[in-house]
Amino acid sequence: QKEVEQNSGPLSVPEGAIASLNCTYSDRVSQSFFWYRQYSGKSPELIMSIYSNGDKEDGRFTAQLNKASQYVSLLIRDSQPSDSATYLCAVRGYNFNKFYFGSGTKLNVKP
Amino acid sequence: EAGVTQFPSHSVIEKGQTVTLRCDPISGHDNLYWYRRVMGKEIKFLLHFVKESKQDESGMPNNRFLAERTGGTYSTLKVQPAELEDSGVYFCASSQDTARGLTQYFGPGTRLTVL
């Protein structure tokens, strides 16, 4: 079983719509959760971090965490074509040294 | 502030050769990490330095891989001898410390192709 699971996509949404990206993790003691955006050929760029159950909003982005269900999501409101990228879910567990990454979900926002 | 830099951006070598990848972390970041992404797979942890010390090298695939961070500044990752399955993108990341609230910042990666 993979530590972090994501649907590989592609997820296609029209411009202006809400994009919903989901991630599940296997280690119940995981402490910190991150969403990275990666454009093709570029490095992962941090979008959001979340540590407590509930929602965390930053501009058009909202991260949601449910530790009981071991589930993290990222909502992108008013999606723009520039949001088209691969979104990586990363989880840092009890051992703070390591991030465990999902394989990423490719998002396409169509004009 | 300069980000994490990596050199080279691409490397193409033949099986059996040696390659050395370099990572320069963000200035002041004591923690340096190496990750690898093999095509079609997720990014996987290789090892973690705190200053010049290896904190965790549990992700290193085998003894053909050697990482160093002399002086606690830049780091090198040497693959000797390289095998076909070593092809992938090698990312370096750095962070100020491992406290829960701080994250890892990634470099652009080195794409290694072993022929």
mmCIF file of all heavy atoms in Angstrom, chain A residues 2 31-32 34 36 38 41-44 46 51-52 86 88 92 95-104, chain B residues 33 35 37 41-43 45 48 55-56 58 91 97-109:
data_model
loop_
_atom_site.group_PDB
_atom_site.id
_atom_site.type_symbol
_atom_site.label_atom_id
_atom_site.label_comp_id
_atom_site.label_asym_id
_atom_site.label_seq_id
_atom_site.Cartn_x
_atom_site.Cartn_y
_atom_site.Cartn_z
ATOM 1 N N LYS A 2 0.564 2.197 -0.893
ATOM 2 C CA LYS A 2 1.311 3.432 -0.936
ATOM 3 C C LYS A 2 0.980 4.288 0.273
ATOM 4 O O LYS A 2 -0.146 4.277 0.766
ATOM 5 C CB LYS A 2 0.964 4.196 -2.215
ATOM 6 C CG LYS A 2 1.486 3.544 -3.497
ATOM 7 C CD LYS A 2 1.192 4.432 -4.682
ATOM 8 C CE LYS A 2 1.740 3.839 -5.965
ATOM 9 N NZ LYS A 2 1.456 4.702 -7.135
ATOM 10 N N GLN A 31 1.508 14.103 10.674
ATOM 11 C CA GLN A 31 1.341 15.357 11.392
ATOM 12 C C GLN A 31 1.068 16.559 10.507
ATOM 13 O O GLN A 31 0.335 17.463 10.867
ATOM 14 C CB GLN A 31 2.619 15.644 12.194
ATOM 15 C CG GLN A 31 2.952 14.577 13.220
ATOM 16 C CD GLN A 31 2.007 14.594 14.386
ATOM 17 O OE1 GLN A 31 1.628 15.648 14.870
ATOM 18 N NE2 GLN A 31 1.576 13.419 14.818
ATOM 19 N N SER A 32 1.723 16.591 9.341
ATOM 20 C CA SER A 32 1.689 17.794 8.506
ATOM 21 C C SER A 32 1.381 17.401 7.078
ATOM 22 O O SER A 32 1.819 16.355 6.603
ATOM 23 C CB SER A 32 3.047 18.504 8.547
ATOM 24 O OG SER A 32 3.500 18.671 9.871
ATOM 25 N N PHE A 34 0.779 18.877 2.957
ATOM 26 C CA PHE A 34 1.188 19.941 2.054
ATOM 27 C C PHE A 34 0.642 19.665 0.658
ATOM 28 O O PHE A 34 0.544 18.518 0.226
ATOM 29 C CB PHE A 34 2.715 20.017 1.973
ATOM 30 C CG PHE A 34 3.387 20.202 3.315
ATOM 31 C CD1 PHE A 34 3.635 19.117 4.128
ATOM 32 C CD2 PHE A 34 3.755 21.459 3.750
ATOM 33 C CE1 PHE A 34 4.243 19.273 5.373
ATOM 34 C CE2 PHE A 34 4.361 21.635 4.985
ATOM 35 C CZ PHE A 34 4.599 20.534 5.797
ATOM 36 N N TYR A 36 1.649 20.784 -3.198
ATOM 37 C CA TYR A 36 2.613 21.419 -4.077
ATOM 38 C C TYR A 36 2.037 21.438 -5.493
ATOM 39 O O TYR A 36 1.316 20.521 -5.903
ATOM 40 C CB TYR A 36 3.930 20.636 -4.111
ATOM 41 C CG TYR A 36 4.811 20.807 -2.893
ATOM 42 C CD1 TYR A 36 4.600 20.048 -1.747
ATOM 43 C CD2 TYR A 36 5.878 21.711 -2.902
ATOM 44 C CE1 TYR A 36 5.422 20.196 -0.640
ATOM 45 C CE2 TYR A 36 6.708 21.858 -1.799
ATOM 46 C CZ TYR A 36 6.470 21.105 -0.672
ATOM 47 O OH TYR A 36 7.290 21.249 0.431
ATOM 48 N N GLN A 38 3.246 21.628 -9.489
ATOM 49 C CA GLN A 38 4.425 21.415 -10.320
ATOM 50 C C GLN A 38 4.059 21.589 -11.782
ATOM 51 O O GLN A 38 3.277 20.806 -12.333
ATOM 52 C CB GLN A 38 5.030 20.023 -10.076
ATOM 53 C CG GLN A 38 6.351 19.810 -10.783
ATOM 54 C CD GLN A 38 6.981 18.460 -10.458
ATOM 55 O OE1 GLN A 38 6.291 17.511 -10.094
ATOM 56 N NE2 GLN A 38 8.299 18.384 -10.575
ATOM 57 N N GLY A 41 8.401 20.136 -16.058
ATOM 58 C CA GLY A 41 9.820 20.448 -16.115
ATOM 59 C C GLY A 41 10.308 21.395 -15.041
ATOM 60 O O GLY A 41 11.472 21.797 -15.048
ATOM 61 N N LYS A 42 9.420 21.757 -14.123
ATOM 62 C CA LYS A 42 9.807 22.687 -13.063
ATOM 63 C C LYS A 42 9.809 21.982 -11.706
ATOM 64 O O LYS A 42 9.423 20.839 -11.584
ATOM 65 C CB LYS A 42 8.819 23.874 -13.026
ATOM 66 C CG LYS A 42 8.735 24.639 -14.325
ATOM 67 C CD LYS A 42 10.036 25.314 -14.667
ATOM 68 C CE LYS A 42 9.907 26.162 -15.917
ATOM 69 N NZ LYS A 42 11.208 26.800 -16.280
ATOM 70 N N SER A 43 10.273 22.703 -10.676
ATOM 71 C CA SER A 43 10.315 22.130 -9.333
ATOM 72 C C SER A 43 8.957 22.261 -8.660
ATOM 73 O O SER A 43 8.174 23.152 -8.987
ATOM 74 C CB SER A 43 11.372 22.835 -8.493
ATOM 75 O OG SER A 43 11.082 24.218 -8.394
ATOM 76 N N PRO A 44 8.672 21.383 -7.711
ATOM 77 C CA PRO A 44 7.430 21.528 -6.940
ATOM 78 C C PRO A 44 7.430 22.840 -6.167
ATOM 79 O O PRO A 44 8.420 23.210 -5.554
ATOM 80 C CB PRO A 44 7.468 20.320 -5.988
ATOM 81 C CG PRO A 44 8.383 19.334 -6.650
ATOM 82 C CD PRO A 44 9.408 20.166 -7.345
ATOM 83 N N LEU A 46 5.330 25.105 -3.260
ATOM 84 C CA LEU A 46 4.348 24.975 -2.185
ATOM 85 C C LEU A 46 3.138 25.866 -2.428
ATOM 86 O O LEU A 46 3.268 27.054 -2.712
ATOM 87 C CB LEU A 46 4.979 25.339 -0.846
ATOM 88 C CG LEU A 46 4.035 25.247 0.354
ATOM 89 C CD1 LEU A 46 3.698 23.784 0.632
ATOM 90 C CD2 LEU A 46 4.653 25.893 1.587
ATOM 91 N N TYR A 51 -2.270 21.572 9.147
ATOM 92 C CA TYR A 51 -1.822 20.714 10.238
ATOM 93 C C TYR A 51 -2.977 20.254 11.135
ATOM 94 O O TYR A 51 -2.840 19.255 11.843
ATOM 95 C CB TYR A 51 -0.795 21.455 11.099
ATOM 96 C CG TYR A 51 0.270 22.125 10.299
ATOM 97 C CD1 TYR A 51 0.351 23.502 10.222
ATOM 98 C CD2 TYR A 51 1.195 21.372 9.576
ATOM 99 C CE1 TYR A 51 1.324 24.131 9.468
ATOM 100 C CE2 TYR A 51 2.174 22.001 8.813
ATOM 101 C CZ TYR A 51 2.229 23.367 8.774
ATOM 102 O OH TYR A 51 3.183 23.988 8.010
ATOM 103 N N SER A 52 -4.091 20.986 11.110
ATOM 104 C CA SER A 52 -5.218 20.673 11.994
ATOM 105 C C SER A 52 -6.451 20.342 11.178
ATOM 106 O O SER A 52 -6.603 20.813 10.040
ATOM 107 C CB SER A 52 -5.519 21.873 12.899
ATOM 108 O OG SER A 52 -4.378 22.264 13.629
ATOM 109 N N THR A 86 0.417 19.845 -12.430
ATOM 110 C CA THR A 86 0.255 18.641 -11.612
ATOM 111 C C THR A 86 0.316 19.040 -10.147
ATOM 112 O O THR A 86 1.223 19.784 -9.746
ATOM 113 C CB THR A 86 1.344 17.609 -11.928
ATOM 114 O OG1 THR A 86 1.195 17.164 -13.278
ATOM 115 C CG2 THR A 86 1.235 16.401 -10.996
ATOM 116 N N LEU A 88 0.707 17.927 -6.308
ATOM 117 C CA LEU A 88 1.275 16.865 -5.494
ATOM 118 C C LEU A 88 0.839 17.022 -4.043
ATOM 119 O O LEU A 88 0.966 18.105 -3.467
ATOM 120 C CB LEU A 88 2.804 16.905 -5.555
ATOM 121 C CG LEU A 88 3.437 16.811 -6.939
ATOM 122 C CD1 LEU A 88 4.930 17.104 -6.859
ATOM 123 C CD2 LEU A 88 3.218 15.431 -7.524
ATOM 124 N N ARG A 92 3.913 14.607 5.912
ATOM 125 C CA ARG A 92 5.065 14.398 6.781
ATOM 126 C C ARG A 92 4.574 13.694 8.037
ATOM 127 O O ARG A 92 3.673 14.176 8.715
ATOM 128 C CB ARG A 92 5.736 15.714 7.145
ATOM 129 C CG ARG A 92 7.015 15.539 7.935
ATOM 130 C CD ARG A 92 7.878 16.765 7.900
ATOM 131 N NE ARG A 92 7.245 17.926 8.481
ATOM 132 C CZ ARG A 92 7.724 19.163 8.393
ATOM 133 N NH1 ARG A 92 8.827 19.384 7.729
ATOM 134 N NH2 ARG A 92 7.097 20.169 8.934
ATOM 135 N N ASN A 95 8.043 10.781 11.812
ATOM 136 C CA ASN A 95 9.450 11.043 11.531
ATOM 137 C C ASN A 95 9.521 12.308 10.684
ATOM 138 O O ASN A 95 9.234 12.297 9.503
ATOM 139 C CB ASN A 95 10.049 9.863 10.774
ATOM 140 C CG ASN A 95 11.501 10.103 10.399
ATOM 141 O OD1 ASN A 95 11.993 11.221 10.418
ATOM 142 N ND2 ASN A 95 12.181 9.049 10.013
ATOM 143 N N PHE A 96 9.907 13.397 11.294
ATOM 144 C CA PHE A 96 9.842 14.685 10.610
ATOM 145 C C PHE A 96 10.800 14.798 9.433
ATOM 146 O O PHE A 96 10.766 15.770 8.710
ATOM 147 C CB PHE A 96 10.127 15.814 11.591
ATOM 148 C CG PHE A 96 9.021 16.049 12.576
ATOM 149 C CD1 PHE A 96 9.294 16.539 13.834
ATOM 150 C CD2 PHE A 96 7.710 15.771 12.251
ATOM 151 C CE1 PHE A 96 8.282 16.758 14.755
ATOM 152 C CE2 PHE A 96 6.688 15.981 13.161
ATOM 153 C CZ PHE A 96 6.969 16.484 14.423
ATOM 154 N N ASN A 97 11.675 13.828 9.286
ATOM 155 C CA ASN A 97 12.655 13.940 8.214
ATOM 156 C C ASN A 97 12.042 13.800 6.834
ATOM 157 O O ASN A 97 12.503 14.398 5.880
ATOM 158 C CB ASN A 97 13.722 12.869 8.366
ATOM 159 C CG ASN A 97 14.512 13.040 9.640
ATOM 160 O OD1 ASN A 97 14.590 14.124 10.177
ATOM 161 N ND2 ASN A 97 15.085 11.959 10.110
ATOM 162 N N LYS A 98 11.043 12.958 6.730
ATOM 163 C CA LYS A 98 10.598 12.546 5.407
ATOM 164 C C LYS A 98 9.265 13.143 5.014
ATOM 165 O O LYS A 98 8.361 13.249 5.799
ATOM 166 C CB LYS A 98 10.417 11.024 5.366
ATOM 167 C CG LYS A 98 11.637 10.213 5.628
ATOM 168 C CD LYS A 98 11.302 8.721 5.552
ATOM 169 C CE LYS A 98 12.474 7.874 5.910
ATOM 170 N NZ LYS A 98 12.133 6.447 5.901
ATOM 171 N N PHE A 99 9.197 13.492 3.720
ATOM 172 C CA PHE A 99 7.917 13.751 3.089
ATOM 173 C C PHE A 99 7.568 12.514 2.264
ATOM 174 O O PHE A 99 8.425 11.969 1.577
ATOM 175 C CB PHE A 99 8.018 14.949 2.130
ATOM 176 C CG PHE A 99 7.833 16.293 2.781
ATOM 177 C CD1 PHE A 99 8.070 16.498 4.121
ATOM 178 C CD2 PHE A 99 7.407 17.371 2.023
ATOM 179 C CE1 PHE A 99 7.903 17.752 4.690
ATOM 180 C CE2 PHE A 99 7.227 18.624 2.593
ATOM 181 C CZ PHE A 99 7.482 18.814 3.922
ATOM 182 N N TYR A 100 6.336 12.121 2.307
ATOM 183 C CA TYR A 100 5.843 11.088 1.414
ATOM 184 C C TYR A 100 4.931 11.781 0.404
ATOM 185 O O TYR A 100 4.009 12.514 0.781
ATOM 186 C CB TYR A 100 5.072 10.015 2.181
ATOM 187 C CG TYR A 100 5.935 9.240 3.137
ATOM 188 C CD1 TYR A 100 6.003 9.594 4.484
ATOM 189 C CD2 TYR A 100 6.695 8.157 2.697
ATOM 190 C CE1 TYR A 100 6.801 8.892 5.360
ATOM 191 C CE2 TYR A 100 7.496 7.448 3.581
ATOM 192 C CZ TYR A 100 7.543 7.822 4.912
ATOM 193 O OH TYR A 100 8.338 7.130 5.777
ATOM 194 N N PHE A 101 5.204 11.536 -0.857
ATOM 195 C CA PHE A 101 4.457 12.203 -1.914
ATOM 196 C C PHE A 101 3.488 11.246 -2.593
ATOM 197 O O PHE A 101 3.777 10.050 -2.750
ATOM 198 C CB PHE A 101 5.412 12.729 -2.989
ATOM 199 C CG PHE A 101 6.113 13.997 -2.619
ATOM 200 C CD1 PHE A 101 7.291 13.971 -1.897
ATOM 201 C CD2 PHE A 101 5.590 15.219 -2.993
ATOM 202 C CE1 PHE A 101 7.935 15.144 -1.548
ATOM 203 C CE2 PHE A 101 6.231 16.407 -2.660
ATOM 204 C CZ PHE A 101 7.405 16.358 -1.935
ATOM 205 N N GLY A 102 2.368 11.793 -3.028
ATOM 206 C CA GLY A 102 1.523 11.079 -3.961
ATOM 207 C C GLY A 102 2.103 11.229 -5.355
ATOM 208 O O GLY A 102 3.034 12.018 -5.586
ATOM 209 N N SER A 103 1.537 10.503 -6.286
ATOM 210 C CA SER A 103 2.044 10.551 -7.656
ATOM 211 C C SER A 103 1.557 11.779 -8.414
ATOM 212 O O SER A 103 2.029 12.055 -9.502
ATOM 213 C CB SER A 103 1.667 9.277 -8.412
ATOM 214 O OG SER A 103 0.272 9.081 -8.357
ATOM 215 N N GLY A 104 0.628 12.521 -7.806
ATOM 216 C CA GLY A 104 0.184 13.775 -8.414
ATOM 217 C C GLY A 104 -1.070 13.634 -9.240
ATOM 218 O O GLY A 104 -1.324 12.584 -9.832
ATOM 219 N N TYR B 33 17.641 17.846 1.861
ATOM 220 C CA TYR B 33 17.032 16.558 1.522
ATOM 221 C C TYR B 33 17.309 16.247 0.055
ATOM 222 O O TYR B 33 17.282 17.127 -0.790
ATOM 223 C CB TYR B 33 15.518 16.606 1.722
ATOM 224 C CG TYR B 33 15.071 17.137 3.069
ATOM 225 C CD1 TYR B 33 15.021 18.511 3.315
ATOM 226 C CD2 TYR B 33 14.684 16.268 4.084
ATOM 227 C CE1 TYR B 33 14.611 19.003 4.535
ATOM 228 C CE2 TYR B 33 14.264 16.760 5.315
ATOM 229 C CZ TYR B 33 14.233 18.126 5.534
ATOM 230 O OH TYR B 33 13.821 18.618 6.751
ATOM 231 N N TYR B 35 15.640 13.799 -2.998
ATOM 232 C CA TYR B 35 14.513 12.982 -3.433
ATOM 233 C C TYR B 35 14.767 12.551 -4.873
ATOM 234 O O TYR B 35 15.555 13.145 -5.593
ATOM 235 C CB TYR B 35 13.203 13.780 -3.399
ATOM 236 C CG TYR B 35 12.695 14.162 -2.037
ATOM 237 C CD1 TYR B 35 13.128 15.330 -1.406
ATOM 238 C CD2 TYR B 35 11.770 13.373 -1.370
ATOM 239 C CE1 TYR B 35 12.652 15.692 -0.153
ATOM 240 C CE2 TYR B 35 11.278 13.727 -0.119
ATOM 241 C CZ TYR B 35 11.733 14.896 0.473
ATOM 242 O OH TYR B 35 11.247 15.254 1.712
ATOM 243 N N ARG B 37 12.532 11.118 -8.449
ATOM 244 C CA ARG B 37 11.299 10.722 -9.118
ATOM 245 C C ARG B 37 11.644 9.932 -10.356
ATOM 246 O O ARG B 37 12.224 10.467 -11.308
ATOM 247 C CB ARG B 37 10.447 11.929 -9.493
ATOM 248 C CG ARG B 37 9.095 11.523 -10.078
ATOM 249 C CD ARG B 37 8.142 12.680 -10.206
ATOM 250 N NE ARG B 37 6.772 12.198 -10.371
ATOM 251 C CZ ARG B 37 5.694 12.961 -10.317
ATOM 252 N NH1 ARG B 37 5.820 14.259 -10.104
ATOM 253 N NH2 ARG B 37 4.502 12.451 -10.473
ATOM 254 N N LYS B 41 6.335 7.432 -11.507
ATOM 255 C CA LYS B 41 6.203 7.118 -10.084
ATOM 256 C C LYS B 41 6.189 8.399 -9.250
ATOM 257 O O LYS B 41 6.410 9.488 -9.748
ATOM 258 C CB LYS B 41 7.374 6.238 -9.628
ATOM 259 C CG LYS B 41 7.514 4.955 -10.396
ATOM 260 C CD LYS B 41 6.408 3.990 -10.065
ATOM 261 C CE LYS B 41 6.648 2.654 -10.741
ATOM 262 N NZ LYS B 41 5.568 1.688 -10.449
ATOM 263 N N GLU B 42 5.931 8.222 -7.957
ATOM 264 C CA GLU B 42 5.913 9.383 -7.088
ATOM 265 C C GLU B 42 7.327 9.776 -6.679
ATOM 266 O O GLU B 42 8.268 8.999 -6.790
ATOM 267 C CB GLU B 42 5.060 9.089 -5.842
ATOM 268 C CG GLU B 42 5.619 8.021 -4.922
ATOM 269 C CD GLU B 42 5.175 6.632 -5.321
ATOM 270 O OE1 GLU B 42 4.714 6.427 -6.464
ATOM 271 O OE2 GLU B 42 5.312 5.728 -4.478
ATOM 272 N N ILE B 43 7.454 11.018 -6.192
ATOM 273 C CA ILE B 43 8.726 11.483 -5.650
ATOM 274 C C ILE B 43 9.012 10.701 -4.370
ATOM 275 O O ILE B 43 8.168 10.597 -3.492
ATOM 276 C CB ILE B 43 8.649 12.996 -5.335
ATOM 277 C CG1 ILE B 43 8.417 13.797 -6.630
ATOM 278 C CG2 ILE B 43 9.907 13.463 -4.637
ATOM 279 C CD1 ILE B 43 8.151 15.276 -6.397
ATOM 280 N N PHE B 45 11.744 9.896 -1.095
ATOM 281 C CA PHE B 45 12.802 10.366 -0.227
ATOM 282 C C PHE B 45 14.035 9.490 -0.372
ATOM 283 O O PHE B 45 13.950 8.261 -0.443
ATOM 284 C CB PHE B 45 12.286 10.315 1.212
ATOM 285 C CG PHE B 45 13.319 10.536 2.278
ATOM 286 C CD1 PHE B 45 13.626 11.811 2.703
ATOM 287 C CD2 PHE B 45 13.963 9.462 2.869
ATOM 288 C CE1 PHE B 45 14.565 12.023 3.715
ATOM 289 C CE2 PHE B 45 14.898 9.657 3.870
ATOM 290 C CZ PHE B 45 15.196 10.932 4.296
ATOM 291 N N HIS B 48 18.444 12.696 4.247
ATOM 292 C CA HIS B 48 18.302 13.979 4.932
ATOM 293 C C HIS B 48 19.589 14.300 5.683
ATOM 294 O O HIS B 48 20.086 13.463 6.443
ATOM 295 C CB HIS B 48 17.112 13.897 5.900
ATOM 296 C CG HIS B 48 17.000 15.035 6.862
ATOM 297 N ND1 HIS B 48 16.579 14.854 8.174
ATOM 298 C CD2 HIS B 48 17.221 16.368 6.716
ATOM 299 C CE1 HIS B 48 16.560 16.026 8.783
ATOM 300 N NE2 HIS B 48 16.933 16.957 7.931
ATOM 301 N N GLN B 55 21.175 12.551 8.776
ATOM 302 C CA GLN B 55 20.169 12.277 9.789
ATOM 303 C C GLN B 55 19.393 11.005 9.482
ATOM 304 O O GLN B 55 18.998 10.265 10.371
ATOM 305 C CB GLN B 55 19.201 13.463 9.864
ATOM 306 C CG GLN B 55 18.234 13.437 11.014
ATOM 307 C CD GLN B 55 18.904 13.809 12.326
ATOM 308 O OE1 GLN B 55 20.065 14.216 12.350
ATOM 309 N NE2 GLN B 55 18.195 13.672 13.411
ATOM 310 N N ASP B 56 19.174 10.788 8.206
ATOM 311 C CA ASP B 56 18.361 9.652 7.785
ATOM 312 C C ASP B 56 18.715 9.337 6.342
ATOM 313 O O ASP B 56 18.547 10.189 5.481
ATOM 314 C CB ASP B 56 16.874 9.996 7.904
ATOM 315 C CG ASP B 56 15.942 8.865 7.518
ATOM 316 O OD1 ASP B 56 16.410 7.845 6.978
ATOM 317 O OD2 ASP B 56 14.730 8.999 7.733
ATOM 318 N N SER B 58 17.695 6.292 4.968
ATOM 319 C CA SER B 58 16.948 5.050 4.766
ATOM 320 C C SER B 58 16.404 4.893 3.353
ATOM 321 O O SER B 58 16.049 3.796 2.940
ATOM 322 C CB SER B 58 15.796 4.967 5.767
ATOM 323 O OG SER B 58 14.906 6.055 5.584
ATOM 324 N N PHE B 91 15.675 15.531 -7.102
ATOM 325 C CA PHE B 91 15.350 16.824 -6.500
ATOM 326 C C PHE B 91 16.091 16.986 -5.179
ATOM 327 O O PHE B 91 16.261 16.033 -4.419
ATOM 328 C CB PHE B 91 13.848 16.930 -6.209
ATOM 329 C CG PHE B 91 12.989 17.071 -7.430
ATOM 330 C CD1 PHE B 91 12.259 15.993 -7.902
ATOM 331 C CD2 PHE B 91 12.890 18.287 -8.095
ATOM 332 C CE1 PHE B 91 11.452 16.109 -9.025
ATOM 333 C CE2 PHE B 91 12.087 18.413 -9.215
ATOM 334 C CZ PHE B 91 11.374 17.322 -9.677
ATOM 335 N N ASP B 97 14.323 24.246 9.643
ATOM 336 C CA ASP B 97 14.415 23.212 10.662
ATOM 337 C C ASP B 97 13.257 22.262 10.457
ATOM 338 O O ASP B 97 12.435 22.451 9.562
ATOM 339 C CB ASP B 97 14.438 23.790 12.076
ATOM 340 C CG ASP B 97 13.140 24.474 12.466
ATOM 341 O OD1 ASP B 97 12.067 23.933 12.191
ATOM 342 O OD2 ASP B 97 13.229 25.562 13.018
ATOM 343 N N THR B 98 13.186 21.229 11.257
ATOM 344 C CA THR B 98 12.187 20.188 11.050
ATOM 345 C C THR B 98 10.960 20.377 11.928
ATOM 346 O O THR B 98 10.172 19.488 12.090
ATOM 347 C CB THR B 98 12.782 18.791 11.314
ATOM 348 O OG1 THR B 98 13.371 18.785 12.626
ATOM 349 C CG2 THR B 98 13.825 18.449 10.285
ATOM 350 N N ALA B 99 10.806 21.551 12.469
ATOM 351 C CA ALA B 99 9.604 21.827 13.264
ATOM 352 C C ALA B 99 8.367 21.715 12.384
ATOM 353 O O ALA B 99 8.419 21.916 11.187
ATOM 354 C CB ALA B 99 9.701 23.224 13.870
ATOM 355 N N ARG B 100 7.303 21.428 12.964
ATOM 356 C CA ARG B 100 6.089 21.133 12.203
ATOM 357 C C ARG B 100 5.680 22.263 11.283
ATOM 358 O O ARG B 100 5.128 22.065 10.219
ATOM 359 C CB ARG B 100 4.970 20.825 13.194
ATOM 360 C CG ARG B 100 3.719 20.277 12.571
ATOM 361 C CD ARG B 100 2.645 20.092 13.589
ATOM 362 N NE ARG B 100 1.958 21.330 13.890
ATOM 363 C CZ ARG B 100 0.744 21.373 14.435
ATOM 364 N NH1 ARG B 100 0.122 20.259 14.715
ATOM 365 N NH2 ARG B 100 0.180 22.533 14.700
ATOM 366 N N GLY B 101 5.968 23.464 11.691
ATOM 367 C CA GLY B 101 5.443 24.584 10.916
ATOM 368 C C GLY B 101 6.233 24.979 9.707
ATOM 369 O O GLY B 101 5.794 25.845 8.969
ATOM 370 N N LEU B 102 7.382 24.433 9.462
ATOM 371 C CA LEU B 102 8.211 24.878 8.357
ATOM 372 C C LEU B 102 8.291 23.815 7.277
ATOM 373 O O LEU B 102 8.337 22.630 7.554
ATOM 374 C CB LEU B 102 9.616 25.239 8.857
ATOM 375 C CG LEU B 102 9.646 26.452 9.800
ATOM 376 C CD1 LEU B 102 11.058 26.737 10.260
ATOM 377 C CD2 LEU B 102 9.066 27.673 9.124
ATOM 378 N N THR B 103 8.354 24.276 6.040
ATOM 379 C CA THR B 103 8.249 23.349 4.932
ATOM 380 C C THR B 103 9.553 23.231 4.178
ATOM 381 O O THR B 103 10.528 23.920 4.461
ATOM 382 C CB THR B 103 7.134 23.784 3.986
ATOM 383 O OG1 THR B 103 6.866 22.733 3.077
ATOM 384 C CG2 THR B 103 7.537 25.028 3.206
ATOM 385 N N GLN B 104 9.569 22.357 3.213
ATOM 386 C CA GLN B 104 10.742 22.124 2.384
ATOM 387 C C GLN B 104 10.577 22.844 1.057
ATOM 388 O O GLN B 104 9.522 22.771 0.429
ATOM 389 C CB GLN B 104 10.918 20.620 2.158
ATOM 390 C CG GLN B 104 11.165 19.865 3.459
ATOM 391 C CD GLN B 104 11.283 18.372 3.262
ATOM 392 O OE1 GLN B 104 11.494 17.900 2.147
ATOM 393 N NE2 GLN B 104 11.168 17.628 4.326
ATOM 394 N N TYR B 105 11.631 23.499 0.629
ATOM 395 C CA TYR B 105 11.647 24.230 -0.631
ATOM 396 C C TYR B 105 12.504 23.452 -1.619
ATOM 397 O O TYR B 105 13.639 23.098 -1.317
ATOM 398 C CB TYR B 105 12.187 25.645 -0.432
ATOM 399 C CG TYR B 105 11.307 26.452 0.490
ATOM 400 C CD1 TYR B 105 11.538 26.452 1.860
ATOM 401 C CD2 TYR B 105 10.221 27.163 0.001
ATOM 402 C CE1 TYR B 105 10.705 27.166 2.726
ATOM 403 C CE2 TYR B 105 9.394 27.883 0.844
ATOM 404 C CZ TYR B 105 9.639 27.865 2.212
ATOM 405 O OH TYR B 105 8.812 28.564 3.054
ATOM 406 N N PHE B 106 11.940 23.242 -2.783
ATOM 407 C CA PHE B 106 12.569 22.352 -3.747
ATOM 408 C C PHE B 106 13.371 23.098 -4.792
ATOM 409 O O PHE B 106 13.016 24.203 -5.223
ATOM 410 C CB PHE B 106 11.504 21.500 -4.442
ATOM 411 C CG PHE B 106 11.015 20.358 -3.597
ATOM 412 C CD1 PHE B 106 10.135 20.571 -2.558
ATOM 413 C CD2 PHE B 106 11.479 19.071 -3.832
ATOM 414 C CE1 PHE B 106 9.701 19.516 -1.759
ATOM 415 C CE2 PHE B 106 11.062 18.015 -3.045
ATOM 416 C CZ PHE B 106 10.166 18.237 -2.005
ATOM 417 N N GLY B 107 14.448 22.465 -5.227
ATOM 418 C CA GLY B 107 15.202 22.942 -6.368
ATOM 419 C C GLY B 107 14.570 22.469 -7.664
ATOM 420 O O GLY B 107 13.610 21.705 -7.649
ATOM 421 N N PRO B 108 15.129 22.908 -8.801
ATOM 422 C CA PRO B 108 14.551 22.574 -10.109
ATOM 423 C C PRO B 108 14.777 21.140 -10.539
ATOM 424 O O PRO B 108 14.152 20.674 -11.478
ATOM 425 C CB PRO B 108 15.246 23.548 -11.057
ATOM 426 C CG PRO B 108 16.551 23.836 -10.381
ATOM 427 C CD PRO B 108 16.280 23.809 -8.912
ATOM 428 N N GLY B 109 15.671 20.442 -9.854
ATOM 429 C CA GLY B 109 15.910 19.047 -10.191
ATOM 430 C C GLY B 109 17.015 18.853 -11.214
ATOM 431 O O GLY B 109 17.345 19.753 -11.988
#
